[in-house]
Amino acid sequence: MEENKQDELRKETHHKVIERLQRSFPEGWHAESEEGKENTIVLFHGQQRDGGIHVKLDPLFAKVEQHESDKEQWIEEFVEKVILIAHEATQNHTVRGSETKLYPVLRHPSFIKENHRNMVWREHTAETIVLYALDLESSYTLITRDMLKEAELTEDELHEAALNNLARLESTPKRDKVGDNVFYFFTEPDSYSASRALNQDLLSWMRQKINGKMGIALPHQDVLIVADLADAKGAYMLAQIAVDFSMRGNIPISPIPFMYTEDGLEPYMVMRNPKSRHKYPSHGGRKKRPPER
């Protein structure tokens, strides 16, 4: 798509999102463009002026640019999700008594730097951190230190409960073979597909199925990709898939793939194209839109 046409399409999409939110928002809510950023809108409630809920439009832009003929549908779906975010943000959610609804979620470390320091989190890899979500069926809210203190739970207790709940989720991958390389896509409709990388039993089970090196990609929250890498072409394909998927997901995590080792997940960079003649596979994932605040 030409750069000028792309800019115009993004401006039009941004304007339509703001316009439709203003018509459909619950009472007391309004949306504004973030100054100097065409890819972000900010949601405010009542007389609030500090902070607000920042919602990135990049995933919507990517869908509209790839399928411009369906842009009205994508915009409507996006607006519905944002309205749900606003609704959930005004609810009073408690952790105590809801321990079975706690799950871990992965984010890029930059997430914490963007006004989210009150969230409960722990380190995972150089490219990822672990946060925790209270599942609300159609959405979820991230656990803050204040919520944890009110529930009288420790961070270790929260982590253990979240991992136990994660282990009970269905995990059935789709398989795609390209040359001698095999790719497994976990795309369950529960918003915790990428989180399954924290399930050590699942990773051990996958390791037993793999003959070559075991690659992993966590491009966005709704997909976990495990790869049986037979050669350099497979490693390059996994890197390309990670970049492509990270641009298309609602909640991007990392465009950099990992190698699974005894020490955990190690990020790796592919420096050149080994000129594979195979086209890499394309599987997606999606579902709940969390109130990222």
Side-chain angles (χ1 to χ4, degrees):
M1 181 178 292
E2 297 180 3
E3 187 172 348
N4 289 340
K5 183 179 179 181
Q6 182 186 65
D7 289 342
E8 289 301 317
L9 184 57
R10 290 190 173 196
K11 289 178 181 177
E12 178 189 358
T13 301
H14 187 130
H15 176 75
K16 285 187 175 182
V17 168
I18 294 288
E19 182 183 65
R20 294 180 190 183
L21 281 175
Q22 301 294 29
R23 293 202 309 259
S24 307
F25 251 163
E27 184 177 356
W29 281 93
H30 63 281
E32 297 180 3
S33 302
E34 183 169 8
E35 185 176 355
K37 294 184 179 180
E38 71 165 12
N39 68 333
T40 307
I41 58 176
V42 188
L43 316 182
F44 294 103
H45 185 251
Q47 301 301 314
Q48 173 192 6
R49 265 294 171 270
D50 295 328
I53 301 174
H54 294 245
V55 179
K56 293 188 180 299
L57 298 175
D58 297 286
L60 176 60
F61 288 158
K63 290 177 179 178
V64 169
E65 288 162 12
Q66 290 177 8
H67 306 282
E68 187 175 352
S69 61
D70 297 326
K71 67 179 179 182
E72 295 300 324
Q73 174 189 340
W74 294 127
I75 290 172
E76 287 300 326
E77 290 184 2
F78 186 83
V79 168
E80 288 177 6
K81 291 177 182 178
V82 174
I83 291 173
L84 180 60
I85 291 172
H87 174 74
E88 297 291 0
T90 58
Q91 305 301 305
N92 183 25
H93 305 298
T94 58
V95 174
R96 179 61 71 182
S98 301
E99 288 85 353
T100 60
K101 299 180 181 180
L102 298 171
Y103 294 94
V105 292
L106 295 175
R107 295 289 181 270
H108 191 271
S110 61
F111 181 84
I112 290 298
K113 298 177 182 179
E114 299 176 359
N115 303 316
H116 295 279
R117 293 186 179 87
N118 193 39
M119 298 295 175
V120 181
W121 64 279
R122 66 172 55 196
E123 294 180 350
H124 180 228
T125 73
E127 284 291 307
T128 53
I129 57 175
V130 182
L131 292 93
Y132 304 90
L134 175 62
D135 194 273
L136 305 172
E137 294 188 7
S138 60
S139 176
Y140 61 72
T141 188
L142 296 177
I143 303 300
T144 65
R145 299 189 186 283
D146 293 338
M147 293 170 67
L148 198 61
K149 182 178 180 181
E150 180 184 8
E152 298 182 340
L153 289 176
T154 66
E155 292 187 18
D156 286 341
E157 289 172 333
L158 171 64
H159 185 69
E160 182 178 359
L163 290 185
N164 287 339
N165 294 333
L166 178 72
R168 288 192 285 268
L169 296 178
E170 177 70 25
S171 298
T172 304
K174 300 173 184 176
R175 184 179 182 274
D176 203 330
K177 187 173 183 180
V178 183
D180 294 326
N181 302 282
V182 183
F183 299 86
Y184 298 90
F185 297 82
F186 293 85
T187 57
E188 305 293 344
D190 55 27
S191 285
Y192 309 112
S193 292
S195 300
R196 285 165 169 77
L198 299 169
N199 185 339
Q200 292 303 316
D201 289 341
L202 177 63
L203 295 186
S204 296
W205 175 66
M206 290 302 302
R207 176 69 265 187
Q208 295 173 15
K209 296 167 65 69
I210 287 175
N211 298 313
K213 292 184 178 180
M214 181 170 167
I216 288 180
L218 304 166
H220 62 75
Q221 75 165 12
D222 296 314
V223 63
L224 162 64
I225 305 166
V226 178
D228 186 348
L229 303 175
D231 50 39
K233 294 177 181 178
Y236 182 80
M237 278 188 281
L238 180 61
Q240 291 297 100
I241 292 170
V243 171
D244 181 50
F245 274 43
S246 68
M247 295 174 63
R248 295 194 279 123
N250 284 332
I251 307 294
I253 299 176
S254 174
I256 297 176
F258 303 82
M259 284 295 179
Y260 179 73
T261 70
E262 292 181 356
D263 297 324
L265 302 185
E266 298 291 339
Y268 78 90
M269 299 289 290
V270 175
M271 303 307 295
R272 66 183 181 84
N273 185 350
K275 297 182 180 180
S276 170
R277 289 176 292 178
H278 302 293
K279 183 177 180 180
Y280 61 80
S282 177
H283 292 284
R286 54 128 297 184
K287 278 323 179 212
K288 299 172 193 168
R289 176 69 178 184
E292 301 289 20
R293 53 191 174 90

